[in-house]
Every structure is written in structure tokens, then in C-alpha cells.
Amino acid sequence: MTALAALFVRDLKLSVRLGGGALMGVLFFLIVVTLMPFAIGPDLALLARIGPAILWLGALLASLLALDRLIASDYEDGSLDLILMAPAPLELALAAKAIAHWLTTGLPLVIAAPLLGFLLNLDPAATGAVALTLLAGTPALTFIGLIGAALTVALRRGGLLIAVLVLPLTVPVLIFGVAASNAAIVGPLPFGTPFTILCALALMSAVVGPFAAAAALRHGLE
Amino acid sequence: MPLIDLANPTRFLALSHRLLPWFAAATAAAFASGIYLAVSAPDDYQQGATVKIMFVHVPAAWLAMGCWTVMTIAALGTLVWRHPLADVAARAAAPLGAAFTAMCLITGMLWGRPMWGTYWVWDGRLTSVLVLFLMYLGVLALWRTVEDPSRAARAAAVLTLVGAINLPIIKFSVDWWATLHQPASVLRLGGPTIHSSLLTPLLVMALAFLLLFVTLHLAAMRNEIMRRRVRTMLMLQAEAAGH
């Protein structure tokens, strides 16, 4: 257990220190949301209506951007071999890495979302709903992305391939994330219906992700 | 001959060499009778002659899902039993599945233009088939990116199994999403019941498509085995030249 805790703390430290690029995702998120009105037009009523969708798409792309560093940097400096040979189960090690990754790349997106909500003319209730759905949904994105990161770890063109492999799998998360946000704003559904399904998706990907990623690493690197 | 003997690629090559002409002939015969039945089938009283697109569209849709099932079984063979032919079967099924899915989408769009007045609607069924197509393209991209074939096979196997778990969830969520956006959809493919004058040609065409898949899959597996042998020989040659 201490080995997993040490790995968790190490990943946290590596990503917040120089060269870790923890806040790069938030910066990207800000830029994507800023670009949207240029493409759509500065119509505040329209922006308020599609604001949750814009925030969700921005967060999805931003969390995708950070995935290629999730395992690849450990592969490059050799520490992945140590993790593979360690007595601690690989599945749990990968889960610890994914949680650390989410804390440094996913959670900042959730915190930034309410601020970006102002830019998109969202009212406070809508902003809260989007932030809550992102809080439940971004872990799912990280755990699904863990599979893509593990599959492409040793490849030269891994970054682009991750997007191709991972994005179709994120369709349900996107659907229920945006649906729950919209349900809180305009109805007619109660917020809880899509939100609980979103939570279920996050829990399921937290189970499937580490196991599939561990299988991909064991079979891919031998 | 016990099934385990087929695990030997040489035995598989010999057997498939004998079987392939029979499957090809059966495919041709099934298509001949299927197309004859489809052409002579009566026009639908509402859809007119466009109902005949269904005889290509529906079997392609069935095979689009069937190919992923074949790939899932092959993926289990790759990961659990390290079956030498499972890699080859999975690799040969992926482009076929993508092709059948594309055929399903294209014929559906051709049917939608006169019937719905547009090539594409964001209907639940269409959208989930489109996502299935994207998943096939992802598997193909993975096969084409990893150089070593057995490593590519294991990576593709993991992705196929993850896809097999996720595809029903994607299907469910897309259906949920589409019904949320367009309640009481009138855009239903086919009625709840289908008359026997249309059902018989459909089933014959489905059999023809299934035989076509088996024929193409066997042929593609043979090609893949030979491609791997050529690759191994070239690598041995390069190694010998290097010494």
C-alpha cells in the first residue's frame, strides 16, 4: 500500500513541478472556450443555450490533450519497467496514477469551468450544474483515456492515435454530461436521471480502465 | 479432425484451400438467387422501389455487428489462449467489418434521401452505427501503427474487448439521446411487421452476405498468414545479410 501511496505522491509532485505541465490543460480549455464565440458569434442568448455543450467539449478536448504524458513519460525514463516488476498489482498502480493525473489535470478543469461560465453568460445554477457534471464526468474521461494511453505507450505517433481510439468511447459520457447540465437549466427531465447514469459511467470506467490498461501494458511491452 | 488441429497455420491453409472454392460457389449461387428474388419482389405500397435497398442494407447492418462479435471471440483467443490463428482472424475481420458498416451507412443514406428528404438525420440508430464505424477505423488505425504483428494483435485485442463492453453502452446512450431530442420519431427503419414476400428475399440475401463474409474472411486469413511468412523470411534475410 505504501508503494502505491509513494507512486501517487510522486506523480502529483512530477506534474506540479517545473516541466510537468499540470495547468496546460486549463490554459487550453480557456483558449477553446474563448475561440467558440469567434466561430459562433457574440450572441449571448445563444451562448447561454449552448454554453454547457461548449464547456463539456472544451473539457473533453483538454483532458484528451494531457493523456499522452500519463504513461509515456514513465516509459521514456524507465520507471514503467519498475512499476511493471513491482509486487504491487499493476491495476492498482495504474489506478493510483490515473487518480493523481485526474487531480492535476481533471480537477483544475472542474474548478475553471465556473469562471468560464461567466464568459458564456451562464446563470449561477447552470454554472453549478456544469461544474457538478464535470466533477462526476472528468474521472470517467481520465480512466477511459488510461486505456488509450496504455495501448499507445510505445508508439511513435501515439498522441494522435489516442484521440482516435478514445474519443468514440467517450460518447456516452459526453451525452449524459451535457444532458444533465441541460436538464438542470431547461428541463424537462429531472437533473438526477442523467446525472446518476453519468456517475455510473464514471464508476464503471474506473473498474474497466485500470484492468484494460494493465492488460494492454503487460501484453504490449513484453 | 479435431478442432485443435486447425491451430496449426499450415493445416489451416490446406483445409481453407480446399474449402474456399465451395464457399465462393455457394456465395455466388446465394447472391444469384437472392438478387433474383429481390428484383422480383413486389414494391412496397408506400416506399415504392426504394424498399429494395433494404435487401442490401439490413444484411450489411447485421454483418457490421457480426464482425465485431467475430473480432471479440478472436480477441479472447489472442489474450487467453494465445491462439496463433486468432490474431490472424481478428486482423482479417476488421477491414471487412468496416466495409460492411460503411455499406450499411451508404445504403441507408441513399434510402433516406427519397424517403426522409435528407441524406442524414441524427437518429439514434444512424448515429450508433456511425460510432461503430469510427470504432472500426480506430482498430484499423491501431493495426496499422504497431509494426510487430503479434504485439499489434494483443493491443487490438484489448481495444476490441473494451469496445465490446462499451458498444452496448454507446448504443443505449445514443438511443436515449436521440429520443430526448426527437420524441415520437417517425423515422423508423422498416415497419414492425414485414410481409413474407419481402422477408424471403431478405433472408436469402442475409445468407448470401454471410457466405460472402465467410469467403472473404477465409481468403483474408490466408493472405495474412502468407504476408506474415513473407515478413519473417525478409527479416531472416536481412539478419543473414547483416552478419
Side-chain angles (χ1 to χ4, degrees):
Chain A
M1 205 55 211
T2 45
L4 292 177
L7 181 67
F8 178 75
V9 173
R10 165 187 173 271
D11 269 26
L12 279 184
K13 279 183 183 165
L14 274 179
S15 57
V16 296
R17 284 183 182 168
L18 192 65
L23 292 178
M24 204 73 89
V26 179
L27 189 58
F28 179 80
F29 190 27
L30 172 67
I31 293 171
V32 168
V33 172
T34 313
L35 283 180
M36 281 294 172
F38 291 122
I40 297 166
D43 179 357
L44 281 181
L46 177 67
L47 284 177
R49 195 159 59 81
I50 61 174
I54 293 175
L55 288 177
W56 255 94
L57 267 183
L60 176 64
L61 295 177
S63 69
L64 195 69
L65 199 70
L67 283 178
D68 62 334
R69 305 314 301 159
L70 175 50
I71 305 180
S73 53
D74 285 348
Y75 175 72
E76 281 157 15
D77 67 14
S79 46
L80 186 60
D81 292 327
L82 294 177
I83 296 172
L84 275 165
M85 284 186 291
L90 182 59
E91 286 82 1
L92 286 179
L94 287 174
K97 282 185 71 64
I99 295 169
H101 186 263
W102 178 76
L103 282 176
T104 52
T105 60
L107 194 57
L109 298 178
V110 179
I111 295 167
L115 301 174
L116 298 178
F118 287 120
L119 293 178
L120 297 171
N121 191 31
L122 289 182
D123 60 49
T127 306
V130 173
L132 197 56
T133 54
L134 281 176
L135 185 66
T138 44
L141 299 179
T142 302
F143 280 110
I144 294 171
L146 181 69
I147 305 174
L151 282 171
T152 56
V153 63
L155 302 179
R156 262 170 279 141
R157 293 241 177 83
L160 206 54
L161 188 60
I162 289 185
V164 172
L165 300 183
V166 163
L167 280 179
L169 298 175
T170 59
V171 168
V173 180
L174 183 64
I175 287 177
F176 287 105
V178 176
S181 314
N182 282 332
I185 303 168
V186 287
L189 281 171
F191 175 73
T193 312
F195 185 70
T196 39
I197 300 177
L198 182 68
C199 293
L201 287 173
L203 291 174
M204 206 203 79
S205 56
V207 175
V208 173
F211 277 93
L217 284 182
R218 283 207 191 94
H219 288 292
L221 293 176
E222 65 190 25
Chain B
M1 185 168 67
L3 198 64
I4 191 75
D5 283 0
L6 282 176
N8 181 328
T10 309
R11 289 225 179 91
F12 173 81
L13 279 180
L15 183 73
S16 62
H17 182 67
R18 265 181 288 146
L19 285 181
L20 207 49
W22 294 100
F23 274 115
T27 307
F31 264 110
S33 52
I35 291 171
Y36 172 75
L37 284 173
V39 169
S40 59
D43 286 353
D44 187 79
Y45 78 103
Q46 275 181 325
Q47 304 181 11
T50 52
V51 73
K52 285 169 187 170
I53 294 175
M54 178 190 76
F55 297 129
V56 178
H57 176 77
V58 173
W62 286 342
L63 276 179
M65 290 177 282
C67 282
W68 200 282
T69 315
V70 169
M71 279 163 55
T72 306
I73 296 166
L76 285 175
T78 297
L79 291 181
V80 179
W81 295 289
R82 297 285 170 97
H83 196 298
L85 276 179
D87 301 5
V88 175
R91 168 142 210 184
L96 291 174
F100 282 121
T101 315
M103 186 191 273
C104 173
L105 284 171
I106 291 168
T107 52
M109 288 166 84
L110 291 177
W111 182 84
R113 179 72 189 141
M115 285 299 112
W116 299 340
T118 172
Y119 285 111
W120 188 264
V121 288
W122 287 97
D123 171 68
R125 261 181 140 151
L126 279 76
T127 313
S128 50
V129 173
L130 182 63
V131 176
L132 176 65
F133 185 58
L134 294 177
M135 302 266 306
Y136 272 120
L137 294 186
V139 171
L140 285 177
L142 190 60
W143 274 112
R144 292 191 60 85
T145 317
V146 187
E147 285 130 25
D148 177 45
S150 71
R151 265 186 55 200
R154 286 177 300 222
V158 172
L159 182 65
T160 308
L161 289 180
V162 170
I165 296 171
N166 271 286
L167 278 172
I169 300 173
I170 293 174
K171 170 90 181 110
F172 159 75
S173 25
V174 168
D175 281 350
W176 189 88
W177 165 81
T179 47
L180 189 72
H181 280 245
Q182 349 170 308
S185 175
V186 290
L187 309 174
R188 248 193 347 209
L189 292 173
T193 54
I194 180 166
H195 193 258
S196 64
S197 63
L198 295 177
L199 186 61
T200 317
L202 178 62
L203 290 180
V204 176
M205 282 301 274
L207 179 70
F209 267 77
L210 183 64
L211 285 168
L212 178 69
F213 168 72
V214 173
T215 310
L216 290 177
H217 194 223
L218 278 180
M221 281 175 75
R222 290 173 56 81
N223 287 346
E224 179 62 26
I225 291 172
M226 290 179 206
R227 193 179 298 131
R228 285 184 183 200
R229 289 188 173 174
V230 169
R231 183 177 184 274
T232 313
M233 277 158 63
L234 285 175
M235 286 177 75
L236 286 175
Q237 265 182 7
E239 210 171 302
H243 284 300

